[in-house]
Amino acid sequence: MLLPKGCWGVRIVAEDGVKELRATAHPVRLRMLSLLTGTAMSAAEVARELGLTHANASYHLRILLESGTVVEAGEE
């Protein structure tokens, strides 16, 4: 899946099922996955949409990234 730079998107196939399940067990991360399934967004956009701080959104996105659940398109 090609995404605009600086945006996040959901990856359909996971490499490590247990790690992915643990990453998605948090309510905030579940809301992020629901949001990102519809469109690619930047961390700032995710934070605004979910009413989070940018730092908190980035933290949770990083956990999802490390589990292989989301992919990062890069930085602008």
Side-chain angles (χ1 to χ4, degrees), residues 44-66:
E45 291 169 325
V46 170
R48 274 192 301 275
E49 189 68 31
L50 298 179
L52 304 170
T53 64
H54 187 277
N56 196 14
S58 293
Y59 167 77
H60 287 291
L61 285 167
R62 185 67 48 204
I63 291 174
L64 291 170
L65 176 67
E66 290 171 359

Side-chain angles (χ1 to χ4, degrees), residues 7-68:
C7 292
W8 295 82
V10 175
R11 199 183 80 176
I12 304 301
V13 180
E15 293 175 82
D16 183 354
V18 174
K19 194 171 186 178
E20 181 184 53
L21 287 174
R22 285 186 179 153
T24 59
H26 195 283
V28 169
R29 293 192 285 270
L30 283 173
R31 290 173 56 207
M32 287 179 163
L33 289 174
S34 177
L35 185 64
L36 292 170
T37 299
T39 186
M41 302 175 84
S42 69
E45 291 169 325
V46 170
R48 274 192 301 275
E49 189 68 31
L50 298 179
L52 304 170
T53 64
H54 187 277
N56 196 14
S58 293
Y59 167 77
H60 287 291
L61 285 167
R62 185 67 48 204
I63 291 174
L64 291 170
L65 176 67
E66 290 171 359
S67 74

